[in-house]
Amino acid sequence: MKLLCGLTSPFVRKVRIVAALSGLADRIELVPADPMNPDDQLRVRNPLGKVPALALDDGTTIYDSSVICQYLIGLSGNAALLPAEPAARARVLTLEALGDGLLDALILQRYEVIFREPAMRSQRWTDHQAGKTARALAALEAAPPAGPPDLGQIAVACALGYLDFRFEGAWRAGHPRLVAWLDAFAARTPAWAAAAPPPA
């Protein structure tokens, strides 16, 4: 399998951690992809032109990160990452949705700065995304994830890692319980450090 990816993408980091915890990392080749390049094979594999995309041995491609992660977990049979029991599965997937949604809000805030000229930027739009960020962090601070690492926790960790990587870790000052949780997650999940983005 080939993972079309950018190593700074938090969604790619999420897939790489799941692959490692599922014992599948050695079956996946990392293939650099450039979403901004119209000639990149990524746009053939994924019409949306987004990473990550997983090219399978049969020639098909699956995306996005949530679908890829569920596929890899299914291949490995690692029920600890995503339980089969409906209520437990829904809890994990809801936490994943919170982590992914936080990431979406962060990326939209970043894109507003790097892709728009100053005169074209919308403070209202930025504030809207910042509100999502603040509410997500408040919810996680009030009830940090518990138990062994699962797909939801991995998504949350990747969102917090992106805050450190692109937003200078400003979130840490107001969220001590969440900082402690991330430290514990990192300590028991070696794949977290192994999948860290290269220096900016």
Side-chain angles (χ1 to χ4, degrees):
M1 296 179 284
K2 296 182 179 181
L3 185 67
L4 281 66
C5 62
L7 296 182
T8 60
S9 165
F11 291 108
V12 169
R13 188 179 196 182
K14 176 182 153 190
V15 169
R16 292 179 66 196
I17 293 169
V18 167
L21 294 181
S22 299
L24 298 172
D26 60 350
R27 291 177 53 185
I28 299 174
E29 177 187 355
L30 301 180
V31 178
D34 181 1
M36 299 302 293
N37 180 357
D39 297 322
D40 195 288
Q41 64 169 320
L42 176 65
R43 297 191 182 190
V44 176
R45 290 288 193 172
N46 177 0
L48 300 174
K50 297 171 66 176
V51 295
L54 184 67
L56 304 181
D57 295 338
D58 65 3
T60 60
T61 304
I62 58 174
Y63 45 85
D64 59 2
S65 69
S66 182
V67 177
I68 296 171
C69 287
Q70 291 189 51
Y71 176 78
L72 295 177
I73 292 167
L75 278 184
S76 70
N78 188 349
L81 293 179
L82 184 60
E85 192 276 321
R89 186 180 187 91
R91 283 192 295 271
V92 170
L93 292 176
T94 298
L95 185 60
E96 182 196 19
L98 181 59
D100 285 355
L102 173 55
L103 269 175
D104 286 338
L106 293 169
I107 289 170
L108 287 172
Q109 290 174 73
R110 176 168 164 76
Y111 284 1
E112 188 72 9
V113 173
I114 65 174
F115 288 122
R116 287 185 184 270
E117 298 298 327
M120 299 294 292
R121 294 172 192 163
S122 168
Q123 190 60 49
R124 181 183 180 193
W125 175 253
T126 300
D127 290 346
H128 182 60
Q129 303 307 325
K132 296 179 186 179
T133 301
R135 292 191 301 274
L137 289 173
L140 290 164
E141 175 68 12
D150 58 31
L151 178 57
Q153 293 189 35
I154 293 166
V156 168
C158 288
L160 299 179
Y162 190 73
L163 277 164
D164 285 336
F165 182 57
R166 293 298 193 193
F167 291 80
E168 301 178 344
W171 69 279
R172 290 175 170 267
H175 304 89
R177 297 179 68 198
L178 202 49
V179 170
W181 173 81
L182 182 61
D183 289 346
F185 175 90
R188 63 187 176 185
T189 313
W192 166 252

